Amino acid sequence: MRTLAVATATSLLLVGAAHAQAGKSSGMDDMPGMSGNAGGAKTQTASAKGTVAAVDPGQHKVTFDHEPIPAIGWPAMHMEFPAAKSVDLSTVKPGAKVQFTLSGSKGSYTVQSITPAP
């Protein structure tokens, strides 16, 4: 009897794993504020202003002390972002006042452009 119970439990685990591997919805899409398919999130673009706090060309990242970004519901913060490969970080210097554009979704954003603030 114990062998049957173990075999049944193992079968259920394997079926569940195969289901997950197949990319089937976990039912999280039905829950408010949750998504079982993070890759299906809508990409947003937002513009922001801030001061460059640090630049890491080796990791291709930039840190800003940015003003609120209403388009994505963020307050003013100190944040590090990855930069798109097209962004030339050699011209970005700490202390510079800049405008920048982000694109992404679900709190994961990439800097698409950086220009001096007027």
Side-chain angles (χ1 to χ4, degrees):
M1 187 69 171
R2 184 166 193 263
T3 303
L4 179 60
V6 170
T8 301
T10 302
S11 295
L12 289 173
L13 287 172
L14 290 174
V15 168
H19 184 74
Q21 288 286 333
K24 303 293 184 194
S25 173
S26 63
M28 288 174 52
D29 291 327
D30 298 333
M31 298 171 65
M34 300 297 288
S35 173
N37 183 9
K42 183 180 175 190
T43 299
Q44 292 182 290
T45 300
S47 295
K49 292 181 183 178
T51 302
V52 176
V55 181
D56 183 347
Q59 294 293 313
H60 212 69
K61 294 183 177 183
V62 61
T63 304
F64 298 109
D65 287 316
H66 66 75
E67 295 177 4
I69 308 175
I72 53 179
W74 285 0
M77 290 187 274
H78 177 89
M79 293 184 70
E80 179 181 72
F81 295 96
K85 295 297 179 195
S86 60
V87 176
D88 182 7
L89 293 181
S90 69
T91 63
V92 180
K93 305 295 180 207
K97 305 276 188 210
V98 296
Q99 290 184 316
F100 59 99
T101 304
L102 300 171
S103 70
S105 64
K106 299 274 183 188
S108 179
Y109 289 84
T110 301
V111 175
Q112 298 299 321
S113 67
I114 304 173
T115 56

